[in-house]
Amino acid sequence: MNKLFILVVLAAIAVSCSPKKEHIETQKSQVQDIIDKSIAFHKMGNLNNAQFSLTFRDIDYTYKNQNGMYEYTRTQTDSIGAIVVDRMNNETLIRTIDGNEADITEEKRAAYTRSVNSVIYFFRLPFGLNDPAVNKVYLGTTTIKGKAYHEIKVTFEQEGGGEDFDDVFLYWFDTEDYSMDYLAYLYHTDGGGMRFREAINSRRVNGMLVQDYVNLKPEDEKIDIMTIDELYNKGKLIELSRIINEKVIIK
C-alpha cells in the first residue's frame, strides 16, 4: 500500500508539473523566435565577425569583433586639444592621451568602460539579446501608438552580465516585420534611473538597419517600469535628448 501510494503521488506530481514545464519551453521557443527574426530583419547576424564606426555627439567610435574577441575604441579631443583614446577589449580598457598611456584609477577605468560599452551596446541592438547572460521572458502583445507589438522583458545573469547585471530592460518588436521600435530600461549605476527610447530615422547602411532614438523618462523614475509604455501612449514622458548616430560605416 505504501509503495502504491508513493507511485500514485509521484505520478500526480509528474502530471501537474508537465504542463508547466511545457509552457516554459514553449515560451522560451517563442521569445527566441522573436529575437532571431528581429536580428534577421535588422541584418545584424554577422556582427560576431564585423567592423563598424560611427560618430556620436562629436566623439568617434569603432567596433571590431572576430568570433567573440572584440575591440572597441572611443576617440575625442579634450579641452586643451589633446587626443584622448579609450581602447577596450575582452580584458581591459586602456586610455592614451596624445599617444601616451594615461595612469587612471580603477574607478575611472570602470566608468570609461561603461560609457564606451553603452554606446556600442545600444547601437547594435537587438543583436546583443542572444548573449549567454541574457534572460528573456515573453510578456505577450501590447499596443503602442495604435500598433501591435511583442513585448519582451530582459534581465541578466550575474556571471557574464557585467557591472549592470541587475538592470531591467523591456523591448517592443513589431508583430509584422519584427523591427525593434521601442525599448525601456531601469538602471542602477551612476545614481540610477529609468529611460524609454523611441526609434527614429531608420535607414539601411550596407544592409544593416541603423536607428536613432528619442530618449525619454517618466517624471517619477521610481514608477513600475512595466507601466512605462502606458505613460508613453498618454504623452506623459519627458524628452531628455536625441540619440543620433552619424557617419556610420559598416564593413
Side-chain angles (χ1 to χ4, degrees):
M1 287 293 291
N2 288 340
K3 288 183 178 179
L4 179 61
F5 177 75
I6 292 171
L7 289 173
V8 170
V9 170
L10 290 174
I13 291 172
V15 170
S16 65
C17 290
S18 181
K20 183 178 181 181
K21 184 177 180 181
E22 288 179 6
H23 173 73
I24 292 172
E25 292 303 317
T26 299
Q27 188 189 66
K28 284 182 178 180
S29 176
Q30 184 178 26
V31 73
Q32 190 60 57
D33 182 60
I34 293 168
I35 297 299
D36 290 345
K37 286 179 177 177
S38 183
I39 290 173
F41 177 79
H42 284 249
K43 299 291 183 184
M44 290 184 169
N46 294 325
L47 282 180
N48 268 332
N49 289 284
Q51 299 179 45
F52 64 71
S53 60
L54 63 99
T55 299
F56 173 59
R57 293 177 180 166
D58 297 322
I59 299 175
D60 298 325
Y61 293 82
T62 68
Y63 166 99
K64 181 166 63 176
N65 194 330
Q66 293 183 323
N67 297 317
M69 300 303 294
Y70 65 83
E71 181 182 81
Y72 308 157
T73 70
R74 174 176 66 178
T75 304
Q76 56 190 316
T77 303
D78 69 12
S79 58
I80 60 173
I83 304 300
V84 180
V85 179
D86 294 309
R87 192 175 304 276
M88 171 184 166
N89 58 30
N90 298 69
E91 297 179 357
T92 189
L93 177 142
I94 294 174
R95 166 166 285 205
T96 60
I97 300 175
D98 283 341
N100 300 309
E101 184 173 341
D103 184 15
I104 57 176
T105 65
E106 289 307 308
E107 183 178 5
K108 285 187 176 181
R109 194 185 311 277
Y112 299 155
T113 297
R114 286 195 301 271
S115 182
V116 174
N117 190 62
S118 176
V119 172
I120 299 297
Y121 180 84
F122 282 108
F123 178 80
R124 67 179 196 154
L125 282 171
F127 178 76
L129 299 184
N130 272 340
D131 289 347
V134 172
N135 299 313
K136 303 178 280 265
V137 177
Y138 184 59
L139 301 179
T141 58
T142 189
T143 301
I144 300 179
K145 285 190 172 180
K147 199 171 185 179
Y149 286 92
H150 295 294
E151 184 175 4
I152 290 175
K153 179 181 179 181
V154 165
T155 57
F156 303 90
E157 297 287 346
Q158 184 169 359
E159 184 175 352
E163 283 190 3
D164 308 331
F165 73 90
D166 54 349
D167 291 353
V168 177
F169 281 74
L170 296 174
Y171 296 92
W172 290 270
F173 300 91
D174 189 310
T175 56
E176 295 180 3
D177 64 15
Y178 295 90
S179 62
M180 189 195 78
D181 294 350
Y182 302 95
L183 67 104
Y185 57 99
L186 170 67
Y187 65 98
H188 299 91
T189 55
D190 302 321
M194 191 180 297
R195 299 290 183 266
F196 183 95
R197 292 189 179 186
E198 172 193 3
I200 58 172
N201 302 335
S202 297
R203 69 271 190 198
R204 296 277 176 182
V205 178
N206 197 18
M208 195 174 94
L209 186 66
V210 174
Q211 300 184 139
D212 301 324
Y213 296 93
V214 181
N215 192 33
L216 307 108
K217 73 164 190 172
E219 185 174 354
D220 178 7
E221 294 184 61
K222 294 181 180 179
I223 64 163
D224 182 354
I225 193 172
M226 304 304 296
T227 66
I228 198 167
D229 56 323
E230 298 173 20
L231 294 177
Y232 175 75
N233 275 331
K234 294 176 181 178
K236 292 186 176 181
L237 297 181
I238 303 165
E239 181 175 335
L240 289 175
S241 61
R242 299 275 169 131
I243 310 298
I244 307 298
N245 300 298
E246 302 177 298
K247 301 178 184 177
V248 178
I249 299 173
I250 299 171
K251 299 179 182 180

